Amino acid sequence: LLVAQVGVNLSRISNELDKLNNVVSKGQLITDEIIEKYVGISRKYNNYELKNAVLCKNYNKAFEILEYFKKNPPTSRDEWTGIIHAIIAYFEAFYILLQMYYNGKNDDLFLKMLGVRIFTDYPIYRKAMQNYSFANVVKAIHIIRQYDMYSKGGDGNETDEVELIREMTIKIINL
């Protein structure tokens, strides 16, 4: 949950882990509830749940999460790009899973190497297989890369990050 929300900013991850270290006892298990309470990451509104909503084409859930992000925005541009990077990572894994599926391969070891959790992620990907053709997954990856560039100012426009992610989400879900 922590890494899914904070993204790739190692400084931020380190700061959040320091916070947790100060509030938990030695040997205490750090639960989702503790992360949510002390780091401020919602279990219901995070990158992981946004990815699930997009893969499952759940408009309502996706826009509920985006509305939460709008009201509780990440504090830096790195965190916004982290949201986009999380979504593209899932779509790239989905692309590979589709290739495996169409080639008749279903190798649990390979899924683990991809970072796909068999009991939590795989059912979402199976549902996504009903929603996206192989060609649409390729289009989605292209759209996400395009919006990644936009989020970094690559379009010469200073569009609000939430609006960029909202536009990207609409385009992907409508594939």
Coordinates of all heavy atoms in Angstrom, one line a residue, residues 38-70:
Y38 N -1.3 6.9 9.8 CA -0.1 7.7 10.1 C 0.5 8.3 8.8 O 1.2 9.3 8.9 CB 1.0 6.9 10.9 CG 0.5 6.7 12.3 CD1 0.0 5.4 12.6 CD2 0.5 7.7 13.2 CE1 -0.4 5.2 13.9 CE2 0.0 7.4 14.5 CZ -0.4 6.2 14.8 OH -0.9 5.9 16.1
V39 N 0.3 7.7 7.7 CA 0.9 8.2 6.4 C -0.2 9.0 5.6 O 0.1 9.8 4.8 CB 1.5 7.0 5.6 CG1 2.0 7.5 4.3 CG2 2.6 6.3 6.4
G40 N -1.5 8.6 5.9 CA -2.5 9.3 5.2 C -3.0 8.7 3.9 O -3.6 9.4 3.1
I41 N -2.6 7.5 3.6 CA -3.0 6.8 2.4 C -4.3 6.1 2.7 O -4.4 5.3 3.6 CB -1.9 5.9 2.0 CG1 -0.6 6.6 1.7 CG2 -2.3 5.1 0.8 CD1 0.6 5.8 1.5
S42 N -5.2 6.3 1.8 CA -6.5 5.7 2.0 C -6.5 4.3 1.3 O -6.0 4.1 0.2 CB -7.6 6.5 1.3 OG -8.8 5.8 1.2
R43 N -7.0 3.3 2.0 CA -7.1 2.0 1.4 C -8.1 1.9 0.3 O -8.0 1.1 -0.6 CB -7.5 1.0 2.5 CG -7.4 -0.4 2.1 CD -7.7 -1.5 3.1 NE -7.7 -1.0 4.4 CZ -8.4 -1.6 5.4 NH1 -9.0 -2.7 5.2 NH2 -8.3 -1.2 6.6
K44 N -9.1 2.8 0.3 CA -10.2 2.8 -0.7 C -9.8 3.7 -1.9 O -10.3 3.5 -3.0 CB -11.4 3.4 0.0 CG -12.7 3.2 -0.8 CD -13.9 3.6 0.0 CE -15.1 3.6 -0.9 NZ -16.3 4.1 -0.1
Y45 N -9.0 4.7 -1.7 CA -8.6 5.7 -2.7 C -7.1 5.8 -2.9 O -6.5 6.6 -2.3 CB -9.2 7.1 -2.4 CG -10.7 7.1 -2.1 CD1 -11.2 7.3 -0.8 CD2 -11.6 6.9 -3.1 CE1 -12.5 7.3 -0.6 CE2 -12.9 6.9 -2.9 CZ -13.4 7.1 -1.6 OH -14.7 7.1 -1.4
N46 N -6.6 4.9 -3.8 CA -5.2 4.9 -4.0 C -4.9 4.4 -5.4 O -5.8 4.1 -6.2 CB -4.5 4.0 -3.0 CG -5.0 2.6 -3.0 OD1 -5.0 1.9 -4.0 ND2 -5.4 2.1 -1.8
N47 N -3.6 4.4 -5.8 CA -3.2 4.0 -7.2 C -3.7 2.6 -7.5 O -4.1 2.4 -8.6 CB -1.7 4.1 -7.3 CG -1.1 5.5 -7.1 OD1 -1.8 6.4 -7.2 ND2 0.2 5.5 -7.0
Y48 N -3.5 1.7 -6.6 CA -3.9 0.3 -6.8 C -5.4 0.2 -7.1 O -5.8 -0.4 -8.1 CB -3.6 -0.5 -5.6 CG -3.9 -2.0 -5.7 CD1 -3.0 -2.8 -6.4 CD2 -5.0 -2.5 -5.1 CE1 -3.3 -4.2 -6.6 CE2 -5.3 -3.8 -5.3 CZ -4.5 -4.7 -6.0 OH -4.8 -6.0 -6.1
E49 N -6.2 0.9 -6.4 CA -7.7 0.9 -6.6 C -8.0 1.6 -7.9 O -9.0 1.2 -8.6 CB -8.5 1.4 -5.5 CG -8.3 0.6 -4.2 CD -8.8 -0.8 -4.3 OE1 -9.7 -1.1 -5.1 OE2 -8.2 -1.7 -3.7
L50 N -7.3 2.7 -8.3 CA -7.6 3.4 -9.5 C -7.2 2.4 -10.7 O -8.0 2.3 -11.7 CB -6.7 4.7 -9.6 CG -6.9 5.4 -10.9 CD1 -8.3 5.9 -11.1 CD2 -5.9 6.7 -10.9
K51 N -6.1 1.7 -10.6 CA -5.7 0.8 -11.6 C -6.8 -0.3 -11.8 O -7.2 -0.6 -12.9 CB -4.4 0.2 -11.3 CG -3.9 -1.0 -12.2 CD -4.3 -2.4 -11.8 CE -4.0 -2.8 -10.4 NZ -4.4 -4.2 -10.1
N52 N -7.3 -0.8 -10.7 CA -8.3 -1.8 -10.8 C -9.6 -1.3 -11.5 O -10.2 -1.9 -12.3 CB -8.7 -2.3 -9.4 CG -7.7 -3.2 -8.8 OD1 -6.7 -3.7 -9.5 ND2 -7.8 -3.5 -7.5
A53 N -10.0 0.0 -11.1 CA -11.2 0.6 -11.7 C -11.0 0.8 -13.2 O -11.9 0.5 -14.0 CB -11.4 1.9 -11.0
V54 N -9.8 1.2 -13.6 CA -9.5 1.4 -15.1 C -9.5 0.1 -15.8 O -10.2 -0.1 -16.8 CB -8.2 2.2 -15.3 CG1 -7.9 2.2 -16.8 CG2 -8.3 3.6 -14.7
L55 N -8.9 -1.0 -15.2 CA -8.8 -2.3 -15.9 C -10.2 -2.9 -16.0 O -10.5 -3.6 -17.0 CB -7.9 -3.2 -15.2 CG -6.4 -3.0 -15.4 CD1 -5.6 -3.9 -14.4 CD2 -6.0 -3.2 -16.8
C56 N -11.0 -2.7 -15.0 CA -12.4 -3.2 -15.0 C -13.4 -2.3 -15.6 O -14.6 -2.6 -15.7 CB -12.8 -3.5 -13.5 SG -11.8 -4.8 -12.8
K57 N -12.9 -1.2 -16.2 CA -13.8 -0.2 -16.8 C -15.0 0.3 -15.9 O -16.1 0.4 -16.3 CB -14.4 -0.7 -18.1 CG -13.3 -0.8 -19.2 CD -13.9 -1.0 -20.6 CE -12.8 -0.9 -21.6 NZ -13.3 -0.7 -23.0
N58 N -14.6 0.5 -14.6 CA -15.6 0.9 -13.6 C -15.5 2.4 -13.5 O -14.7 3.0 -12.8 CB -15.3 0.3 -12.3 CG -16.3 0.6 -11.2 OD1 -17.0 1.6 -11.3 ND2 -16.4 -0.3 -10.2
Y59 N -16.3 3.1 -14.4 CA -16.3 4.6 -14.4 C -16.5 5.2 -13.1 O -15.8 6.1 -12.6 CB -17.4 5.1 -15.4 CG -17.2 4.9 -16.8 CD1 -17.7 3.8 -17.4 CD2 -16.5 5.8 -17.6 CE1 -17.5 3.5 -18.8 CE2 -16.3 5.6 -19.0 CZ -16.8 4.5 -19.6 OH -16.7 4.3 -20.9
N60 N -17.5 4.8 -12.4 CA -17.9 5.4 -11.1 C -16.8 5.3 -10.1 O -16.5 6.3 -9.4 CB -19.2 4.7 -10.6 CG -20.4 5.0 -11.4 OD1 -20.4 6.0 -12.2 ND2 -21.4 4.2 -11.4
K61 N -16.2 4.1 -10.0 CA -15.1 4.0 -9.0 C -13.9 4.8 -9.4 O -13.3 5.5 -8.5 CB -14.7 2.5 -8.9 CG -13.6 2.2 -7.9 CD -14.1 2.5 -6.5 CE -13.0 2.1 -5.5 NZ -13.3 2.5 -4.1
A62 N -13.5 4.8 -10.7 CA -12.4 5.6 -11.1 C -12.6 7.1 -10.8 O -11.7 7.7 -10.3 CB -12.2 5.4 -12.6
F63 N -13.8 7.6 -11.1 CA -14.0 9.0 -10.9 C -14.2 9.4 -9.4 O -13.9 10.5 -9.0 CB -15.1 9.5 -11.8 CG -14.6 9.5 -13.2 CD1 -15.2 8.6 -14.1 CD2 -13.6 10.3 -13.7 CE1 -14.7 8.5 -15.4 CE2 -13.2 10.3 -15.0 CZ -13.7 9.3 -15.9
E64 N -14.6 8.4 -8.6 CA -14.7 8.6 -7.2 C -13.3 8.8 -6.6 O -13.0 9.6 -5.8 CB -15.4 7.4 -6.6 CG -15.6 7.5 -5.1 CD -16.3 6.2 -4.6 OE1 -17.2 5.7 -5.2 OE2 -16.0 5.8 -3.4
I65 N -12.4 7.9 -7.1 CA -11.0 8.0 -6.7 C -10.3 9.3 -7.1 O -9.6 10.0 -6.4 CB -10.2 6.8 -7.2 CG1 -10.7 5.5 -6.5 CG2 -8.7 7.0 -6.9 CD1 -10.2 4.2 -7.1
L66 N -10.6 9.7 -8.4 CA -10.0 10.9 -8.9 C -10.6 12.1 -8.1 O -9.8 13.1 -7.9 CB -10.3 11.0 -10.4 CG -9.5 10.1 -11.3 CD1 -10.0 10.1 -12.7 CD2 -8.0 10.3 -11.2
E67 N -11.8 12.1 -7.8 CA -12.4 13.2 -7.0 C -11.7 13.3 -5.6 O -11.4 14.3 -5.1 CB -13.9 13.0 -6.8 CG -14.6 14.2 -6.2 CD -14.5 15.4 -7.1 OE1 -14.4 15.3 -8.3 OE2 -14.5 16.5 -6.5
Y68 N -11.4 12.1 -5.0 CA -10.7 12.1 -3.7 C -9.3 12.7 -3.9 O -8.8 13.5 -3.1 CB -10.5 10.6 -3.3 CG -9.7 10.5 -2.0 CD1 -10.2 10.7 -0.8 CD2 -8.3 10.2 -2.1 CE1 -9.5 10.6 0.4 CE2 -7.6 10.1 -0.9 CZ -8.1 10.3 0.3 OH -7.4 10.2 1.4
F69 N -8.6 12.3 -5.1 CA -7.3 12.9 -5.3 C -7.4 14.4 -5.5 O -6.5 15.1 -5.1 CB -6.7 12.3 -6.6 CG -6.2 10.9 -6.5 CD1 -5.9 10.2 -7.6 CD2 -6.0 10.3 -5.2 CE1 -5.4 8.9 -7.5 CE2 -5.5 9.0 -5.1 CZ -5.2 8.3 -6.3
K70 N -8.5 14.9 -6.1 CA -8.7 16.3 -6.3 C -8.8 17.0 -4.9 O -8.3 18.1 -4.7 CB -9.9 16.6 -7.2 CG -10.0 18.0 -7.6 CD -11.1 18.1 -8.6 CE -11.2 19.6 -9.1 NZ -12.1 19.7 -10.3

